[in-house]
């Protein structure tokens, strides 16, 4: 059997996942299983760099796993697992802490941003988590990591750490490449279209969640920010709100921007926003219904994450044993 390239990614269970996460990531992930050997994590260890309510964290992880599956990530074709269920992540994370320079961590943009937002809790984990993230990737000898622009710096650091380690001990780690999908929507906030859609903007009405009820989705789109013109046309610089809605409508319907502009050439913004909302409702409806069915089937979810952890551990432990041998640890 031909060896497939390995692709790996993960999402923090620090809240409900957004429409932007689905259209920009999960929708693409679901198409990759035939081409790649896919590993998708729920990165609970990263989530605790900010304080979490334990019961909510447990619930969010199960909901996230159910949503992964409902979005088309078949556990039989993809390795779906919870990060902390594979101890090799923490074990290699510590080793790589010792091969990651203080100055490199100091320059990480996300550390600066998160420190500003969590001034009362600037903990060591928040500072060193890029080393754990490098371990997440390097454990599986990943060829590709799907990333947005805000994560490219982490891939660069992961490569730097791998090059440093390989330079000392030989060819241990594969150097990962960022994976930019051929079709990937960058979905922006409905109230502040200059910002990426984020679950932190739920209270402002700028964020739509994958499991939102239809009436909540429609309300969000009816309130979406537009501009003082009346024409539905894609112009990212001058019409960011309308351009964002066009991108969302295109991602949900498959229609090109040109087809959308033609469809709404004689209609106003009210009609357009209503149509976008309806398209999103129908796109998310089967996902929401299937996710709720899975959430109620705890035994199925437990079977899925245990199966995923078992497979992930086999791959991860192979890398970890090689690393331990190279650095001089005695095999237990």
């Amino acid at each position: 059997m031909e060896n497939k390239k390995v692709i790996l990614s993960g999402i923090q269970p620090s809240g409900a996942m957004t429409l932007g996460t689905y259209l920009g990531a999960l929708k693409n992930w679901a198409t990759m299983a035939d081409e790649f050997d896919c590993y998708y994590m729920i990165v609970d260890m990263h989530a605790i760099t900010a304080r979490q309510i334990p019961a909510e964290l447990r619930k969010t992880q199960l909901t996230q796993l159910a949503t992964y599956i409902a979005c088309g990530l078949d556990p039989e074709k993809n390795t779906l697992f919870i990060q902390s269920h594979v101890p090799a992540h923490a074990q290699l994370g510590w080793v790589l802490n010792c091969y990651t320079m203080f100055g490199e961590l100091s320059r990480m943009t996300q550390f600066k941003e998160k420190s500003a937002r969590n001034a009362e809790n600037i903990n060591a984990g928040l500072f060193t988590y890029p080393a754990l993230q490098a371990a997440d990737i390097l454990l599986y000898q990943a060829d590709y990591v799907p990333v947005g622009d805000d994560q490219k710096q982490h891939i660069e650091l992961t490569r730097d750490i791998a090059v440093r380690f390989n330079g000392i001990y030989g060819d241990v780690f594969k150097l990962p490449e960022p994976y930019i999908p051929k079709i990937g929507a960058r979905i922006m906030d409905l109230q502040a279209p200059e910002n990426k859609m984020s679950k932190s903007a739920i209270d402002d009405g700028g964020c739509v969640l994958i499991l939102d009820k239809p009436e909540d989705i429609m309300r969000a789109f009816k309130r979406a920010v537009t501009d003082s013109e009346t024409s539905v046309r894609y112009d990212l610089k001058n019409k960011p709100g309308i351009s964002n809605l066009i991108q969302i409508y295109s991602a949900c319907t498959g229609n090109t921007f040109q087809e959308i502009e033609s469809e709404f050439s004689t209609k106003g913004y009210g009609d357009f926003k209503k149509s976008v909302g309806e398209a999103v409702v129908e796109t998310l409806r089967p996902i929401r219904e299937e996710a709720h069915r899975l959430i109620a089937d705890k035994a199925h979810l437990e079977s899925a994450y245990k199966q995923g952890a078992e497979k992930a551990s086999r791959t991860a432990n192979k890398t970890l044993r090689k690393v331990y041998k190279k650095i001089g640890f005695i095999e237990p």
Side-chain angles (χ1 to χ4, degrees):
M1 189 178 87
E2 182 188 357
N3 284 335
K4 294 179 179 177
K5 297 281 191 182
V6 175
I7 201 159
L8 174 137
S9 195
I11 298 173
Q12 283 194 35
S14 53
M17 291 187 290
T18 71
L19 172 66
T21 303
Y22 173 65
L23 295 179
L26 295 173
K27 185 180 178 184
N28 294 310
W29 292 4
T31 67
M32 293 179 179
D34 291 334
E35 185 180 354
F36 298 102
D37 186 8
C38 301
Y39 291 80
Y40 298 122
M41 297 180 288
I42 295 168
V43 287
D44 56 340
M45 293 168 71
H46 287 291
I48 63 167
T49 57
R51 293 286 175 266
Q52 304 291 334
I53 298 169
E56 286 187 10
L57 181 60
R58 280 189 286 271
K59 180 181 177 183
T60 301
Q61 288 178 78
L62 290 176
T63 300
Q64 185 167 317
L65 177 60
T67 306
Y68 274 3
I69 298 170
C71 286
L73 299 180
D74 183 346
E76 299 302 323
K77 295 181 177 180
N78 303 272
T79 305
L80 310 180
F81 65 101
I82 296 169
Q83 182 188 24
S84 65
H85 289 185
V86 181
H89 286 263
Q91 292 170 292
L92 183 60
W94 172 253
V95 172
L96 295 187
N97 262 325
C98 301
Y99 294 84
T100 307
M101 300 300 111
F102 185 90
E104 291 173 322
L105 296 173
S106 301
R107 290 191 290 274
M108 298 304 287
T109 306
Q110 287 204 338
F111 171 70
K112 296 171 186 174
E113 292 173 353
K114 289 185 178 182
S115 297
R117 289 200 303 267
N118 299 281
E120 74 292 345
N121 183 28
I122 305 175
N123 56 72
L126 189 64
F127 185 66
T128 64
Y129 87 90
L132 176 60
Q133 194 168 52
D136 297 337
I137 297 166
L138 298 175
L139 272 174
Y140 301 94
Q141 304 292 350
D143 294 281
Y144 299 110
V145 182
V147 289
D149 292 337
D150 57 341
Q151 286 288 326
K152 283 182 180 176
Q153 190 183 29
H154 286 277
I155 303 303
E156 291 166 5
L157 178 59
T158 297
R159 288 174 60 89
D160 289 343
I161 295 168
V163 167
R164 181 176 297 128
F165 195 93
N166 289 351
I168 300 170
Y169 300 107
D171 189 17
V172 178
F173 295 125
K174 186 177 288 184
L175 302 187
E177 300 279 353
Y179 180 84
I180 311 300
K182 300 178 186 74
I183 304 169
R186 181 173 167 81
I187 305 303
M188 312 306 281
D189 189 286
L190 299 181
Q191 292 297 317
E194 66 278 4
N195 298 328
K196 187 177 176 182
M197 184 178 282
S198 167
K199 49 198 166 192
S200 62
I202 291 172
D203 295 338
D204 302 328
C207 175
V208 170
L209 303 177
I210 295 174
L211 302 186
D212 270 350
K213 296 175 183 175
E215 57 268 31
D216 295 330
I217 294 171
M218 291 304 298
R219 189 181 308 114
F221 279 99
K222 285 176 182 175
R223 294 181 58 240
V225 166
T226 54
D227 53 60
S228 57
E229 293 184 18
T230 57
S231 61
V232 176
R233 61 184 174 82
Y234 190 83
D235 181 349
L236 198 56
K237 182 179 179 183
N238 299 306
K239 297 166 72 68
I242 286 294
S243 298
N244 186 40
L245 294 178
I246 288 174
Q247 179 153 249
I248 293 170
Y249 192 62
S250 174
C252 289
T253 63
N255 295 344
T256 66
F257 292 1
Q258 190 173 5
E259 288 169 340
I260 295 166
E261 290 173 1
S262 176
E263 180 184 352
F264 292 94
S265 61
T266 59
K267 297 179 182 178
Y269 285 172
D271 288 334
F272 179 52
K273 291 198 286 186
K274 182 171 180 287
S275 292
V276 178
E278 289 170 348
V280 171
V281 165
E282 293 311 312
T283 296
L284 297 182
R285 187 188 302 280
I287 295 170
R288 186 182 70 254
E289 291 173 355
E290 177 65 2
H292 284 307
R293 186 190 71 77
L294 289 165
I295 289 165
D297 189 351
K298 296 287 195 297
H300 180 73
L301 291 178
E302 182 178 345
S303 173
Y305 68 64
K306 284 186 174 179
Q307 173 185 307
E310 190 177 324
K311 185 185 172 192
S313 292
R314 283 198 298 271
T315 305
N317 289 338
K318 187 177 176 183
T319 299
L320 185 66
R321 283 194 298 271
K322 189 174 183 180
V323 168
Y324 274 14
K325 185 177 181 181
K326 289 288 187 181
I327 63 177
F329 287 178
I330 295 173
E331 191 171 337

